[in-house]
C-alpha cells in the first residue's frame, strides 16, 4: 500500500478533509458513550518533539492509548534526529519498528525530509510554517457550533493577528472547504503573498472567499467565528516590544471589538494564550468562547487522523494463522 502522510491540508481534496472530519465526529460520538473502538490494537506511534507541547502531546498519546495502541514519547534531544544519525537512517529505523511517526519540529523541512524517507505515515504536529492537526480540530468545532440555518460554505471566519503557522493552516483549510475567510492585521504582519495566492486558488475551486485587511472592525462585522493566536513565535522574542506596539490595542480581541461582531459569533483560540494580550479574559471566558471545546477536540481529531492513516495499513491475519503461530511458539517455550 502506498504510504500517505499528513503534512499539509493542501495535499488533500475537500472530500478527503471532510471524510477525516466525519470520521472524527463518529469516533467522538462513540467516545462520549464510552465505546471507543480499539481499532489500532497493537499499533505503535513514535512521537518526536523538538519543543514542548501540552495539547498536541497529550492528545496524540491518549488517542493512541484509547484506540488500543501505544505512543512512544521521544523528547527533545533524546534521539539522534539529523545530528549523529542522518534523517534517512532515522526514518528507516522508525519505519521498521513503528506503524507511524509524529514530529513536532522547529523547521518545516525537518518534517518533510522525515516523510520523504519514511515507509509509514508521518504526522506533522506543528512546524514554523503550519499546524494542520490543529485546524482539522478547529473546523470540527465550527461545525459543532455553526449558526442555525447555515452550512459550511456559508461560514464567515475571521482571524485577527500575526501570520502564524496556525493562520497559514486555517486560511488554507477554510478556503479549501469553501468558507469565507478574513485575515485582519497590520500590513507588515499580514499573510505572505504566497499564502494568499494558494488560498485564492483554493477559493476559485471551492467557492470560498479571501479578504486580507488592516481594519479589524470591518473584519468582524459579519463573523461567525473570531479566531486569534499569539503575536510572536519561537525566536521572535526580541521583536516583542515592536509587535505589541503594532497590534495593541486595535487588534486585541477586546470586549469592544467582540461586541462589533454578530450576537451569535463564537471566539476561538488554539492555545496557549497570552491572556490580556491578544485577547482579554472577558472574551476568552465569555459564554460564546469555545476555546476549551477546541482543546477537547484535539483528542478526537487525533483519533480520527490516526485511524484514517494507520488502520487501513494494519495486518489483520485470520484467527487460524494466529493460532498456528501461538501454538508453535508455546511449544518451543515449553521445551526450553
Amino acid at each position: 500500500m502506498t504510504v500517505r502522510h499528513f503534512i499539509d491540508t493542501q495535499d488533500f481534496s475537500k472530500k478527503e478533509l471532510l471524510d477525516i472530519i466525519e470520521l472524527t465526529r463518529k469516533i467522538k460520538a462513540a467516545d462520549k458513550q464510552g465505546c471507543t473502538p480499539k481499532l489500532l490494537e497493537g499499533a505503535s506511534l513514535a512521537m518526536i518533539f523538538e519543543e514542548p507541547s501540552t495539547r498536541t502531546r497529550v492528545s496524540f498519546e491518549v488517542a493512541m492509548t484509547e484506540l488500543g495502541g501505544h505512543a512512544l514519547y521521544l523528547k527533545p534531544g533524546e534521539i539522534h534526529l539529523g545530528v549523529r544519525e542522518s534523517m534517512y537512517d532515522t526514518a528507516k529505523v522508525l519505519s521498521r519498528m513503528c506503524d507511524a511517526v509524529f514530529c513536532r519540529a522547529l523547521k518545516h523541512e525537518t518534517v518533510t525530509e522525515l516523510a520523504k524517507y519514511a515507509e509509514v505515515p508521518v504526522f506533522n504536529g506543528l512546524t514554523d510554517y503550519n499546524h494542520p492537526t490543529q485546524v482539522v480540530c478547529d473546523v470540527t468545532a465550527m461545525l459543532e457550533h455553526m449558526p442555525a440555518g447555515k452550512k459550511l460554505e456559508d461560514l464567515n471566519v475571521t482571524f485577527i493577528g500575526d501570520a502564524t503557522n496556525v493562520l497559514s493552516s486555517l486560511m488554507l483549510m477554510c478556503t479549501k472547504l469553501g468558507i469565507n475567510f478574513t485575515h485582519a492585521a497590520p500590513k507588515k504582519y499580514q499573510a505572505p503573498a504566497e499564502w494568499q495566492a494558494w488560498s485564492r486558488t483554493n477559493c476559485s475551486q471551492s467557492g470560498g472567499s479571501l479578504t486580507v485587511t488592516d481594519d479589524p472592525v470591518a473584519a468582524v462585522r459579519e463573523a461567525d467565528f473570531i479566531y486569534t493566536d499569539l503575536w510572536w513565535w519561537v525566536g521572535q522574542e526580541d521583536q516583542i516590544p515592536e509587535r505589541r506596539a503594532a497590534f495593541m490595542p486595535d487588534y486585541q480581541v477586546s470586549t469592544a471589538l467582540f461586541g462589533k461582531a454578530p450576537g451569535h459569533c463564537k471566539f476561538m483560540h488554539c492555545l496557549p494564550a497570552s491572556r490580556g494580550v491578544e485577547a482579554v479574559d472577558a472574551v476568552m471566558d465569555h459564554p460564546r468562547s469555545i476555546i476549551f471545546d477546541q482543546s477537547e477536540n484535539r483528542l478526537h481529531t487525533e483519533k480520527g487522523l490516526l485511524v484514517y492513516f494507520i488502520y487501513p495499513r494494519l495486518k489483520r491475519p485470520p484467527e487460524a494463522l494466529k493460532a498456528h503461530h501461538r501454538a508453535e511458539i508455546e511449544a518451543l517455550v515449553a521445551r526450553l
Side-chain angles (χ1 to χ4, degrees):
M1 180 181 295
T2 302
V3 65
R4 198 167 187 197
H5 309 293
F6 191 69
I7 306 298
D8 191 331
T9 58
Q10 286 293 92
D11 299 332
F12 298 85
S13 67
K14 176 178 179 178
K15 180 184 182 305
E16 288 171 327
L17 292 171
L18 290 177
D19 284 346
I20 292 171
I21 290 173
E22 180 62 17
L23 178 58
T24 294
R25 296 181 75 179
K26 286 189 179 298
I27 292 175
K28 180 177 181 178
D31 179 74
K32 289 298 183 181
Q33 296 186 11
C35 301
T36 301
K38 306 297 184 184
L39 296 176
L40 300 185
E41 187 172 4
S44 292
L45 173 71
M47 302 196 306
I48 302 170
F49 284 84
E50 287 193 328
E51 62 170 346
S53 165
T54 299
R55 280 148 294 278
T56 303
R57 189 227 166 141
V58 173
S59 61
F60 267 97
E61 189 162 333
V62 173
M64 279 299 289
T65 300
E66 294 188 354
L67 288 167
H70 169 71
L72 179 64
Y73 174 59
L74 303 170
K75 64 185 179 182
E78 195 166 64
I79 63 173
H80 309 301
L81 188 66
V83 182
R84 291 184 57 201
E85 183 172 56
S86 71
M87 194 70 75
Y88 176 90
D89 288 354
T90 297
K92 294 300 182 184
V93 169
L94 292 178
S95 295
R96 296 294 182 95
M97 296 184 179
C98 301
D99 297 284
V101 178
F102 160 99
C103 186
R104 167 170 282 211
L106 293 171
K107 295 296 181 183
H108 191 68
E109 293 75 17
T110 301
V111 176
T112 56
E113 188 177 2
L114 191 63
K116 178 180 177 181
Y117 302 123
E119 298 168 13
V120 295
V122 172
F123 296 95
N124 175 0
L126 177 145
T127 70
D128 57 340
Y129 159 61
N130 68 348
H131 196 357
T133 62
Q134 175 67 52
V135 298
V136 174
C137 145
D138 295 333
V139 174
T140 302
M142 291 175 194
L143 287 169
E144 293 172 339
H145 293 276
M146 199 155 45
K150 283 200 172 188
K151 59 182 186 296
L152 184 71
E153 293 82 2
D154 298 327
L155 293 180
N156 299 310
V157 176
T158 294
F159 185 99
I160 300 178
D162 187 29
T164 62
N165 43 18
V166 171
L167 180 274
S168 164
S169 288
L170 192 66
M171 172 185 284
L172 291 170
M173 182 157 179
C174 284
T175 54
K176 174 80 74 167
L177 297 178
I179 294 170
N180 303 303
F181 191 86
T182 298
H183 178 209
K187 287 186 169 58
K188 181 177 178 180
Y189 300 99
Q190 291 175 357
E194 189 174 34
W195 298 4
Q196 294 190 42
W198 294 336
S199 297
R200 294 190 194 285
T201 297
N202 286 348
C203 290
S204 69
Q205 299 167 354
S206 69
S209 67
L210 174 68
T211 302
V212 180
T213 179
D214 60 1
D215 185 342
V217 174
V220 305
R221 197 165 285 138
E222 297 181 3
D224 297 306
F225 298 93
I226 294 175
Y227 197 127
T228 192
D229 190 9
L230 300 169
W231 288 346
W232 49 85
W233 174 240
V234 176
Q236 296 175 335
E237 289 82 2
D238 61 327
Q239 302 174 27
I240 291 177
E242 175 188 347
R243 286 170 170 270
R244 276 182 178 272
F247 286 102
M248 190 75 80
D250 293 348
Y251 300 91
Q252 181 188 62
V253 185
S254 61
T255 52
L257 183 59
F258 194 46
K260 300 291 185 182
H264 65 264
C265 181
K266 305 296 194 300
F267 174 74
M268 303 180 73
H269 194 305
C270 55
L271 303 180
S274 294
R275 282 178 171 262
V277 182
E278 67 268 15
V280 298
D281 284 357
V283 172
M284 295 194 68
D285 300 322
H286 194 279
R288 285 188 280 114
S289 169
I290 59 171
I291 60 175
F292 297 119
D293 290 347
Q294 284 177 266
S295 289
E296 179 192 335
N297 273 353
R298 289 299 305 276
L299 173 61
H300 308 299
T301 297
E302 317 315 14
K303 288 180 183 177
L305 288 166
L306 290 165
V307 170
Y308 186 89
F309 287 92
I310 299 176
Y311 179 76
R313 299 175 55 84
L314 293 179
K315 294 177 181 177
R316 288 180 286 277
E319 290 302 318
L321 182 59
K322 290 194 287 186
H324 164 74
H325 285 292
R326 181 185 179 98
E328 287 215 333
I329 294 168
E330 287 181 339
L332 176 57
V333 172
R335 296 197 302 269
L336 296 180

